[in-house]
Amino acid sequence: MYQLSKDEMLEPDQSVYVALHAMSASWPCLSFDILRDNLGDERSHFPATSFAGAGTQADVAKNNQVHVMKMSQLHRTQKDGDDDDDNDDEEDDDDENIDEDAVLEYRTIPHLGGVNRVHAQYLPSPRPAPPVSKPYHVATWSDTGKVHIYDIRPLVEALSTPGFVPDNACTSAPVFTLNAHSRAEGFTMDWASSGSNSSSLRLLTGDVHSKIYLTTSSSSHFNTLPQPFTLHTSSVEDLQWSPGEPTVFGSCSADCSIRIWDVHVKGRRSVIGLEAAHDSDVNVISWNKNTAYLLLSGGDEGGIKVWDLWNFKESTQYHKPSPVASFAWHDSPITSVEWHPTEDSILTASGADDQVTLWDLSVEHDEDEMGVNEDSQGEEVPPQLLFVHQGQKDIKEVHWHPQIPGAVMTTASDGFNFFKTISV
């Protein structure tokens, strides 16, 4: 990959973006999550609006905050020589490709300590955000070793409804604080809803001391189960609930392994596992919500791998399953991976090499094609690589928008990007 000199700056090719916006908050945010809203699914018109929750890394612990954000006026990208296209004809309220600055509004919650991870309560499509009388929970991992759970629904309403004033006494303090990790720092968590009972939630949290705790909820309170899951031998890096089996979850670790667990198995032991999934730390995983036997992983060596979980069952000390797909495009640690919410062959990844990549596993190499696809530096480009987004520094997390098809949001040390490409 080409390395910029000190005085050089990347300029995006606007012709390959449907929309591209950069925004920043008061402090850098290592983590964020997109919040479901009541504006509808499968939204394609512009200007778009998106809601998100994020946590800061401030200069001192007491200055940190949880941001509940509304990004609006997310216009289409102006392209040189644009004519009215078919989409504009069909959508009278579209912005006619006028490029304008996005508007970022947010409400804040005080948070003692830097926020290592933010994760919103899982709301499956097409379920909208809950009514203002019901909670919408967001969990944070603090660098103090505590996990806090907040009800951010009143703050979303304040951003959505002019004149609505939330009760600060209710929104400024967590509804629950998880202390089971004994001040061990952590960077991963995952929510799951318990079937059709939206008031019964489950939250997994993992720490640097290799412990995973399960917290459950009822209509009145949260409860953390005292016995952790402890088979990993190093820091737990990421956690994912199975999209098809409500008691099953996956984990990955700095011990290079990926494990699959069932909370009903006695002794808190994993059901299946792969001891050397990557050559280095396994930083992140993502479970395909449309094809539940596919698991995506990203490693510290920069590799992206796709696993068929049926093959995990055949794993022994003499037989190591091979990934069904493997890519080595990134040359630095992978910081985030995520499957597309509706297309089971499409995924995105971000790396410490300041790249966000979009991939489509359904694309195959055409043996009849003349020549080899190469980038400007002569490096061979995998046919599955659809798009490379650059321009941010120290990218930490990337998410698809669940209600705006093809839209992607990222966070980095220099702020947030919201973009949609012509490729997806």
Side-chain angles (χ1 to χ4, degrees):
M1 183 180 72
Y2 178 75
Q3 298 295 322
L4 294 175
S5 64
K6 183 179 179 181
D7 297 326
E8 287 183 308
M9 181 179 296
L10 281 174
E11 289 290 339
D13 179 357
Q14 302 288 351
S15 67
V16 298
Y17 289 94
V18 176
L20 173 61
H21 294 277
M23 296 153 283
S24 60
S26 55
W27 298 100
C29 298
L30 289 182
S31 180
F32 77 100
D33 205 0
I34 294 175
L35 305 176
R36 284 194 65 86
D37 56 50
N38 294 323
L39 301 178
D41 285 358
E42 302 293 324
R43 306 200 296 265
S44 60
H45 71 277
F46 288 86
T49 297
S50 178
F51 292 81
T56 65
Q57 293 284 318
D59 53 349
V60 293
K62 65 181 180 64
N63 288 342
N64 281 291
Q65 298 172 326
V66 175
H67 290 329
V68 178
M69 305 183 295
K70 177 184 178 182
M71 293 151 283
S72 58
Q73 298 302 306
L74 298 168
H75 287 262
R76 287 184 182 273
T77 299
Q78 177 73 48
K79 298 178 176 66
D80 292 338
D82 259 351
D83 295 322
D84 291 339
D85 57 29
D86 293 338
N87 288 334
D88 292 334
D89 292 338
E90 295 173 1
E91 297 170 7
D92 294 335
D93 59 344
D94 212 339
D95 61 12
E96 297 181 355
N97 290 339
I98 297 175
D99 212 8
E100 294 185 6
D101 291 336
V103 176
L104 176 62
E105 306 167 79
Y106 56 87
R107 301 292 186 268
T108 61
I109 302 171
H111 190 279
L112 182 62
V115 181
N116 293 343
R117 195 69 178 264
V118 172
H119 204 10
Q121 170 188 339
Y122 176 60
L123 297 174
S125 178
R127 184 183 298 174
V132 70
S133 59
K134 301 291 185 180
Y136 188 8
H137 294 112
V138 164
T140 65
W141 244 120
S142 173
D143 62 12
T144 63
K146 296 183 178 182
V147 175
H148 304 293
I149 298 175
Y150 299 89
D151 176 13
I152 54 91
R153 184 62 183 86
L155 300 181
V156 173
E157 189 68 17
L159 291 167
S160 306
T161 305
F164 181 88
V165 179
D167 184 350
N168 286 334
C170 295
T171 58
S172 61
V175 296
F176 181 77
T177 295
L178 195 165
N179 294 301
H181 291 277
S182 302
R183 296 190 179 276
E185 200 168 359
F187 295 87
T188 179
M189 59 178 65
D190 196 34
W191 285 99
S193 60
S194 294
S196 59
N197 186 359
S198 60
S199 65
S200 180
L201 303 170
R202 293 162 293 143
L203 176 68
L204 291 167
T205 53
D207 64 36
V208 297
H209 291 168
S210 74
K211 292 183 173 64
I212 302 169
Y213 282 93
L214 173 61
T215 298
T216 61
S217 77
S218 66
S219 58
S220 59
H221 67 281
F222 287 90
N223 176 58
T224 301
L225 304 186
Q227 184 181 1
F229 303 84
T230 58
L231 277 185
H232 283 298
T233 58
S234 188
S235 172
V236 179
E237 298 295 290
D238 207 2
L239 294 162
Q240 284 271 289
W241 283 102
S242 165
E245 300 178 82
T247 63
V248 174
F249 69 91
S251 64
C252 66
S253 169
D255 64 13
C256 305
S257 73
I258 297 173
R259 295 189 177 276
I260 307 299
W261 314 72
D262 190 325
V263 299
H264 287 164
V265 172
K266 292 183 179 180
R268 292 289 195 259
R269 301 191 64 81
S270 65
V271 179
I272 53 177
L274 186 59
E275 294 297 336
H278 285 256
D279 295 333
S280 187
D281 302 7
V282 187
N283 293 336
V284 284
I285 55 175
S286 178
W287 211 314
N288 196 309
K289 288 182 171 56
N290 302 290
T291 305
Y293 59 82
L294 292 180
L295 188 75
L296 174 64
S297 65
D300 219 44
E301 82 289 354
I304 301 169
K305 298 183 180 182
V306 179
W307 303 92
D308 183 338
L309 292 178
W310 290 111
N311 295 336
F312 273 39
K313 296 181 179 181
E314 302 172 2
S315 177
T316 69
Q317 66 181 101
Y318 306 107
H319 172 72
K320 175 186 173 183
S322 298
V324 296
S326 181
F327 305 106
W329 175 264
H330 290 268
D331 59 14
S332 296
I334 301 299
T335 58
S336 184
V337 293
E338 189 169 280
W339 289 105
H340 190 284
T342 58
E343 301 291 338
D344 63 359
S345 66
I346 297 178
L347 61 96
T348 183
S350 64
D353 55 2
D354 299 334
Q355 295 187 85
V356 175
T357 50
L358 307 183
W359 303 79
D360 187 348
L361 302 184
S362 68
V363 178
E364 298 181 0
H365 180 68
D366 188 346
E367 298 292 344
D368 297 329
E369 283 186 349
M370 298 297 292
V372 177
N373 290 330
E374 294 181 346
D375 67 5
S376 60
Q377 304 305 302
E379 184 175 357
E380 184 174 348
V381 179
Q384 296 84 3
L385 180 57
L386 299 179
F387 196 86
V388 177
H389 172 77
Q390 294 177 276
Q392 291 180 280
K393 296 295 184 182
D394 197 21
I395 302 169
K396 292 299 184 183
E397 208 164 357
V398 56
H399 294 299
W400 298 99
H401 197 294
Q403 297 172 278
I404 305 176
V408 175
M409 186 172 171
T410 63
T411 188
S413 61
D414 52 0
F416 301 98
N417 274 191
F418 176 98
F419 65 91
K420 177 177 169 61
T421 78
I422 61 173
S423 302
V424 179

